[in-house]
Amino acid sequence: FIVLNITGILRIGLDFCGCENLLRSRLFSATTVGPKTAATFCLLKMFHLLLTQSKVSRYEFYTSISRHTDNTG
């Protein structure tokens, strides 16, 4: 399972058992059926703030999180 967080992109072991459990864990899944990727609410809040205040695109935001995780390209 891949989790997008402000600190970076994390790969974790997770047994998926329902979207409501992800939401209780403050994770928002990328898809509703068989998700393999989720974003933390903290990351979504930061993206919303940067989008509205700085006009940062989704691509630029994801690239910056990706580079924060591993800047080797």
Side-chain angles (χ1 to χ4, degrees), residues 22-37:
L22 284 178
L23 291 173
R24 285 187 189 135
S25 300
R26 303 198 45 85
L27 294 171
F28 189 80
S29 65
T31 61
T32 56
V33 178
K36 296 182 180 176
T37 305

Side-chain angles (χ1 to χ4, degrees), residues 14-72:
L14 178 71
D15 292 328
F16 176 72
C17 58
C19 287
E20 62 277 351
N21 292 333
L22 284 178
L23 291 173
R24 285 187 189 135
S25 300
R26 303 198 45 85
L27 294 171
F28 189 80
S29 65
T31 61
T32 56
V33 178
K36 296 182 180 176
T37 305
T40 62
F41 282 14
C42 187
L43 178 85
L44 295 174
K45 185 176 180 180
M46 176 64 76
F47 174 65
H48 182 259
L49 180 66
L50 289 172
L51 177 68
T52 57
Q53 298 299 313
S54 303
K55 308 297 187 242
V56 172
S57 71
R58 290 176 293 237
Y59 176 77
E60 291 168 338
F61 186 71
Y62 176 78
T63 302
S64 65
I65 295 296
S66 178
R67 286 185 181 253
H68 184 68
T69 303
D70 181 15
N71 199 21
T72 60

